[in-house]
Structures are given as structure tokens and as C-alpha cells.
């Protein structure tokens, strides 16, 4: 029974990791805030005043856009979302449910840049949508709006801040105070805290119908019990199985991310363009419901969902922004700040919006502090020096280059291992059909 319980716990950990990890971040945003985003209560926006930096300790946070974060609690009824006219400027509001499904998009690609009004409704809602308002049905009672405003730098911040102030969430009808997230039993030992969170979250936020049979299989682990927590005084055998399963599940996710299991890898870059395609059930405004953006194998989808949460929580579908991380150089060796590298683009990434490469440490995938406050580099970076043939050579190193051109095109790295991430906003078809290849990292020293 011990081995059986351990294996079941491993499976349950991977299944439930996105729900727990995601809602831990939701709780952070509504209690302490994250870096440049101050805490804001449910059903209100928190607007960052600046581009993200090292103090923004959030997994794979971007340094391309200014964030506006809204945590939604629709338990007591709908909300009215109003967005401003951005006069053609890129922005996106990404809607993420409790299970990390991207279920809707509002913004330049999805709905254009004119002003708009959207009714955000809870599961099972059957009221009337007002004229001139588009409805967005939320799959879970708690959800997140991840807003990103394109910003070209310090001088562009006043324009972005003016737009942020015009982004509003309003209660519809008479509503009581939002309930917020359910509270796990505080008497559960820390070693079992993950499982207690998962238990109470499963009750509050049911999964898609097709996942219910799998969830039912976790009954032996105590995850389906209502009332008093089974983990406050769990039997030693169950405690051992849950601890071992969590470790095996976590280690397996880390290993899968490092190996790129299932990814196409070109010149060391993982083509994770479909890692957020695990949503197979909810397609609201701005999503693309077609076979190339869905994963038929549900078991594979659940594994990808967990890995995506661990390395890139709240990442967009590839059609909104294509992501490509890299761990190895062109020789197959791990990237490290003990060496210097160059990355030469004969053709820069083909996009309709913009592109960037952002530097992250390992294993947290946080931005890296550096003396020039440069955390990403891309087509909007001022002062880049291009070759006479239009090529762009980026230098990546922990030490500051002495050559003026290398210094202008320098993306600082940490002194230890690191993982850059290429983002391509509004990518063109050649990103997906393989006709465009990102070049490899080349060792300089």
C-alpha cells in the first residue's frame, strides 16, 4: 500500500500543483503585493508604476511591459470591466482561472485598441448582458486579470499610467464583500501544508468536467474529504506517502523543464510555443479554439500545465506571445556566468508587436540584479549597435565588456547558472512553421 499511495500522491501533486501555486500568488497580490505591484483587494486593480526589476520576485516576470494586476472574486456576482482606447498601442488583458487556464484575452490582438466594456460573470450565471457589453464567463469563482501595457522606457511611463487609471472594475448590482480564498486548517503540519491547501481549493474551485474522474481517484489521499482536515493528525503511512509523492512530483517537474521533455529544441532553444495549450474546455473572448492550439492527450496536458506554472506562471498562449527558453549553448553545455557568450541575429525575430530576451537566474527564474539595470534586451532597447548588414550581436556575460559595441549590446548575466527567455509578441507564422530559427549561444571565453 505504501508504494501505491506514494505513486498516487506523485500523480496528485502534478495534478494539483498549478492550483496551489497559482492561488498562493493570488493571495500574495491581495495581501502583500509583489514588487512594483502593491497589494490590492479582490476586484480592484494593482498598477505597477515602473517596469519590473529584481525586487519583483515572481517567476519569469517580464521586463517589456508595465503590469496591471486584478484578482477577481465573482462569488457574489458579476463585475463590469471597462478598458480605455489605447490609440493603437499594444496591450493585453489575459484572463486566468484558478487552474491557470487562459480562458479569455482583451487587447490589441484579440479585440483591438478601442475602448470597450465587458461583463465578467461567475460559473452558472444566467442573467442578462446589457447592450453594448460583451460577456466573459469565468470558469472558477476566483480568477486573475494579468494586464500588460507596452512601454518603451522611462519617458513612456506617463502615457501608460494615464491608461492604467482608465482601467476599471465595478460591481454589478448589490454585492456583499468578496469571500476571498478559503483558509486551510492552520493546525496542519508544515510538511503537509501543500496537501491541505489542495484539499480546500478543490472544494472551492472544481476542475473542468473531464478532469473529475482523475480527481476522484485521489480519495485515498484524503483530498476529497470535507469538514475537519485529515492532515491535522494524519497516519504515519499517509504522511510518508504524501511527503515522498510531493518530492518525486516536484523533482520530476524540475527535471522535465531542464530536459525540455516533449519540446522541439532548435539551437538549444526550447520551442515552448504550445506549453499553454492545456486549456481544453473554456474559450471566451480573444481565444482561438482550433486543433493546433489544443492538446488531445489529457494526461500530457496536465503535466504541461504543472510545468508551465512552475517556470512561467500566467504565460500567454503562443498566438499572443511566443516563449522560448534556453539552458544550453550551441555546444550543448549549460549556460553559466563563468563564461561569456555572443548571440548573433542575422534576422531578428519576426513579430507584429515586439521581441525581447530577458535574463533569469536558476532555479527560481527571477530577474537578476546588475550594475546597469538592464534585465532584458530587444528591438526597443535604446542604443543598440547593428552591423552594416543589419545583423545584431548581443553579448551575454557577468563581467562588463570593454569593447564599446559589445557594451552597447550587453545583457548582464548572474555569476552562476542562468536561463534566458525569448519573448515574441504577436509572432508571425514563420515562428511556428519552422522557417525562422533562433541562433545558438556561442562561447567567447
Amino acid at each position: 500500500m505504501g508504494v501505491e499511495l506514494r505513486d498516487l500522491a506523485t500523480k496528485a501533486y502534478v495534478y494539483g500543483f498549478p492550483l496551489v501555486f497559482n492561488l498562493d500568488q493570488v493571495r500574495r497580490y491581495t495581501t502583500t503585493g509583489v514588487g512594483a505591484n502593491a497589494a490590492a483587494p479582490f476586484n480592484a486593480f494593482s498598477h505597477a508604476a515602473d517596469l519590473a526589476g529584481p525586487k519583483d520576485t515572481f517567476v519569469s516576470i517580464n521586463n517589456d511591459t508595465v503590469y496591471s494586476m486584478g484578482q477577481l472574486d465573482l462569488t457574489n456576482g458579476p463585475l463590469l470591466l471597462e478598458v480605455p482606447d489605447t490609440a493603437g498601442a499594444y496591450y493585453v488583458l489575459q484572463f486566468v482561472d484558478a487552474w491557470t487556464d487562459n480562458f479569455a484575452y482583451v487587447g490589441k490582438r484579440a479585440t483591438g485598441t478601442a475602448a470597450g466594456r465587458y461583463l465578467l460573470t461567475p460559473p452558472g450565471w444566467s442573467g442578462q448582458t446589457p447592450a453594448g457589453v460583451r460577456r466573459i464567463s469565468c470558469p472558477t469563482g476566483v480568477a486573475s486579470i494579468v494586464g500588460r501595457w507596452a512601454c518603451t522606457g522611462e519617458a513612456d511611463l506617463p502615457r501608460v499610467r494615464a491608461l492604467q487609471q482608465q482601467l476599471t472594475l465595478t460591481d454589478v448590482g448589490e454585492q456583499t464583500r468578496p469571500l476571498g480564498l478559503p483558509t486551510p486548517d492552520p493546525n496542519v503540519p508544515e510538511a503537509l501544508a501543500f496537501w491541505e491547501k489542495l484539499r480546500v481549493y478543490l472544494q472551492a474551485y472544481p476542475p473542468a468536467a473531464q478532469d473529475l474522474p482523475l480527481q476522484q481517484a485521489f480519495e485515498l489521499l484524503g483530498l476529497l474529504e470535507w469538514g475537519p482536515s485529515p492532515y491535522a493528525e494524519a497516519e504515519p503511512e499517509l504522511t510518508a506517502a504524501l511527503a515522498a509523492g510531493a518530492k518525486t512530483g516536484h523533482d520530476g517537474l524540475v527535471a522535465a523543464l531542464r530536459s525540455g521533455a516533449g519540446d522541439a529544441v532548435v539551437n538549444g532553444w526550447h520551442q515552448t510555443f504550445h506549453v499553454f495549450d492545456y486549456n481544453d474546455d473554456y474559450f471566451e473572448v480573444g481565444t482561438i479554439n482550433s486543433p493546433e492550439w489544443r492538446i488531445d492527450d489529457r494526461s500530457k496536458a496536465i503535466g504541461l500545465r504543472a510545468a508551465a506554472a512552475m517556470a512561467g506562471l500566467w504565460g500567454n498562449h503562443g498566438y499572443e506571445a511566443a516563449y522560448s527558453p534556453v539552458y544550453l549553448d550551441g555546444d550543448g553545455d549549460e549556460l553559466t556566468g563563468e563564461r561569456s557568450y555572443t548571440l548573433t541575429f542575422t534576422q531578428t525575430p519576426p513579430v507584429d508587436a515586439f521581441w525581447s530576451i530577458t535574463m533569469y537566474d536558476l532555479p527560481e527564474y527571477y530577474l537578476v540584479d546588475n550594475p546597469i539595470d538592464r534585465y532584458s534586451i530587444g528591438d526597443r532597447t535604446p542604443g543598440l549597435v547593428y552591423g552594416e548588414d543589419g545583423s545584431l550581436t548581443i553579448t551575454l556575460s557577468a563581467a562588463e565588456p570593454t569593447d564599446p559595441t559589445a557594451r552597447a549590446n550587453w545583457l548582464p548575466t548572474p555569476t552562476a547558472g542562468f536561463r534566458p527567455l525569448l519573448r515574441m509578441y504577436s509572432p508571425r507564422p514563420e515562428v511556428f512553421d519552422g522557417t525562422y530559427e533562433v541562433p545558438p549561444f556561442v562561447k567567447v571565453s
Side-chain angles (χ1 to χ4, degrees):
M1 175 64 80
V3 173
E4 179 185 341
L5 276 180
R6 182 198 65 198
D7 291 347
L8 188 63
T10 300
K11 195 171 186 179
Y13 181 88
V14 173
Y15 173 76
F17 176 82
L19 181 64
V20 174
F21 188 61
N22 176 44
L23 294 181
D24 280 350
Q25 303 310 310
V26 170
R27 194 182 297 276
R28 280 182 75 193
Y29 271 100
T30 57
T31 55
T32 62
V34 177
N37 279 90
F42 279 102
N43 302 338
F45 280 106
S46 167
H47 300 297
D50 299 289
L51 294 167
K55 293 182 180 179
D56 299 274
T57 53
F58 190 88
V59 58
S60 295
I61 197 167
N62 85 50
N63 183 245
D64 301 308
T65 64
V66 178
Y67 282 94
S68 289
M69 311 298 297
Q71 308 305 329
L72 311 178
D73 184 345
L74 300 162
T75 307
N76 296 317
L79 298 168
L80 179 67
L81 168 70
E82 296 182 270
V83 302
D85 187 335
T86 67
Y90 180 89
Y91 83 102
V92 60
L93 302 182
Q94 170 197 5
F95 293 74
V96 190
D97 74 5
W99 287 90
T100 72
D101 292 314
N102 295 331
F103 64 90
Y105 293 94
V106 170
K108 184 171 183 176
R109 176 201 60 83
T111 57
T113 61
R117 305 171 78 217
Y118 300 87
L119 188 69
L120 315 182
T121 63
W125 188 81
S126 58
Q128 294 294 316
T129 303
V133 177
R134 297 181 70 177
R135 177 184 174 186
I136 296 177
S137 178
C138 300
T140 52
V142 162
S144 302
I145 297 178
V146 185
R148 301 173 176 91
W149 309 88
C151 180
T152 58
E154 190 76 23
D156 195 30
L157 285 171
R159 177 191 65 84
V160 172
R161 290 168 184 159
L163 292 171
Q164 288 175 317
Q165 297 310 309
Q166 298 174 65
L167 184 67
T168 62
L169 281 169
T170 309
D171 293 337
V172 176
E174 296 184 5
Q175 297 196 19
T176 57
R177 184 176 179 179
L179 296 178
L181 297 175
T183 302
D185 187 334
N187 296 314
V188 170
E190 180 61 29
L192 298 180
F194 170 88
W195 300 101
E196 172 63 5
K197 289 178 183 178
L198 181 55
R199 183 184 74 89
V200 298
Y201 293 160
L202 289 178
Q203 295 169 13
Y205 312 110
Q210 65 173 315
D211 291 342
L212 282 171
L214 173 59
Q215 185 167 302
Q216 197 66 35
F218 302 138
E219 184 174 9
L220 284 174
L221 302 174
L223 287 171
L224 306 186
E225 292 193 24
W226 292 70
S229 173
Y231 306 124
E233 298 181 1
E235 294 293 331
E237 181 184 25
L238 177 60
T239 298
L242 292 173
K247 184 179 188 311
T248 302
H250 184 273
D251 291 349
L253 290 174
V254 171
L257 287 168
R258 294 298 296 268
S259 68
D263 295 340
V265 181
V266 178
N267 294 327
W269 295 87
H270 294 254
Q271 310 294 284
T272 59
F273 305 146
H274 295 281
V275 72
F276 295 99
D277 293 0
Y278 46 78
N279 173 26
D280 193 44
D281 301 274
Y282 310 109
F283 297 91
E284 295 290 321
V285 173
T287 56
I288 298 177
N289 182 2
S290 62
E292 66 269 28
W293 297 106
R294 302 177 72 163
I295 298 171
D296 292 333
D297 184 337
R298 192 59 189 162
S299 177
K300 177 182 177 182
I302 287 171
L304 279 175
R305 181 175 67 186
M310 178 177 282
L313 184 67
W314 299 347
N316 292 285
H317 277 100
Y319 49 75
E320 184 68 46
Y323 305 105
S324 191
V326 58
Y327 296 88
L328 307 177
D329 64 25
D331 296 325
D333 298 323
E334 291 194 358
L335 296 172
T336 173
E338 296 175 357
R339 294 185 177 274
S340 297
Y341 306 88
T342 58
L343 184 68
T344 300
F345 290 95
T346 55
Q347 177 193 353
T348 54
V351 294
D352 287 327
F354 50 92
W355 67 270
S356 70
I357 296 173
T358 308
M359 181 61 60
Y360 299 100
D361 68 7
L362 292 173
E364 291 90 1
Y365 307 108
Y366 291 163
L367 295 176
V368 180
D369 198 7
N370 65 77
I372 64 169
D373 291 329
R374 178 179 284 178
Y375 310 107
S376 64
I377 197 166
D379 59 352
R380 298 170 305 148
T381 303
L384 293 184
V385 179
Y386 290 79
E388 293 183 0
D389 59 356
S391 64
L392 175 66
T393 297
I394 297 170
T395 296
L396 302 99
S397 61
E400 182 173 344
T402 55
D403 176 78
T405 297
R407 173 61 174 75
N409 297 354
W410 179 39
L411 180 59
T413 76
T415 55
F418 59 88
R419 185 217 65 177
L421 179 64
L422 170 64
R423 288 180 171 88
M424 295 171 278
Y425 292 84
S426 296
R428 294 175 185 163
E430 50 264 43
V431 170
F432 304 116
D433 65 20
T435 56
Y436 177 75
E437 288 189 3
V438 186
F441 279 72
V442 176
K443 295 184 185 76
V444 176
S445 64

